[in-house]
Amino acid sequence: MPQPLTHLDETGAAHMVDVGHKQPTTREAIATGRITMSPQAATAIKQGTIKKGDVLATARIAGIMAAKKTAELIPLCHPLPLTRVAIDLAPDETGVTITATAATYGQTGVEMEALTAATVALLTLYDMAKAVDKAMVIGEVRLLSKKGGKSGDWTA
């Protein structure tokens, strides 16, 4: 039997889930995504020759900032006191793979923060390198793992 949708009340109206009764626990989520591009754009990013500046450093900061703003972007997300956000960028000859980790000690998970961080970091890469390659493709954004909470650990 499918699980009930937690963000709908008994009348079907959307609402923020009450997590006030839940015990805080250490929680972590890891998300990933990829942007593929021309070899020319990938080389320019790796060599640091994009005219807008340090693409990888800017994407890292954008991802961190995005994780901190998730509750402002996703309507039913709880604002969380993040204890850590890490953005790993792995450029190669056809693009960049991003891995975003978000952690907190709280009453609800950080999956949305990790996914938001990865997505905004990818969008930042696109924005900074679009003069070299407008045909870049952002994709493969997904949750890799989550730890903590009542439902326990999960890995893709």
Side-chain angles (χ1 to χ4, degrees), residues 74-141:
I74 311 294
L76 302 178
C77 279
H78 293 84
L80 298 177
L82 295 172
T83 57
R84 182 168 68 98
V85 178
I87 309 294
D88 178 59
L89 298 109
D92 60 41
E93 55 280 339
T94 62
V96 180
T97 299
I98 290 181
T99 304
T101 303
T104 192
Y105 180 77
Q107 295 164 295
T108 190
V110 288
E111 296 91 339
M112 295 308 300
E113 286 72 12
L115 287 162
T116 300
T119 302
V120 171
L122 290 164
L123 289 168
T124 301
L125 289 171
Y126 184 95
D127 179 53
M128 294 194 70
K130 67 187 176 200
V132 179
D133 182 4
K134 288 179 181 42
M136 292 178 283
V137 176
I138 294 172
E140 304 173 32
V141 176

Side-chain angles (χ1 to χ4, degrees), residues 16-99:
M16 183 181 269
V17 174
D18 181 0
V19 297
H21 64 283
K22 295 170 79 175
Q23 288 296 331
T25 62
T26 299
R27 297 161 183 268
E28 180 183 86
I30 302 172
T32 189
R34 179 154 175 85
I35 185 167
T36 56
M37 61 192 65
S38 67
Q40 177 189 7
T43 298
I45 287 173
K46 284 181 8 181
Q47 293 178 350
T49 59
I50 298 285
K51 291 182 182 179
K52 287 189 175 183
D54 188 338
V55 175
L56 298 175
T58 304
R60 179 175 290 109
I61 296 298
I64 293 167
M65 290 175 64
K68 293 167 34 174
K69 297 282 190 182
T70 299
E72 295 175 33
L73 300 169
I74 311 294
L76 302 178
C77 279
H78 293 84
L80 298 177
L82 295 172
T83 57
R84 182 168 68 98
V85 178
I87 309 294
D88 178 59
L89 298 109
D92 60 41
E93 55 280 339
T94 62
V96 180
T97 299
I98 290 181
T99 304

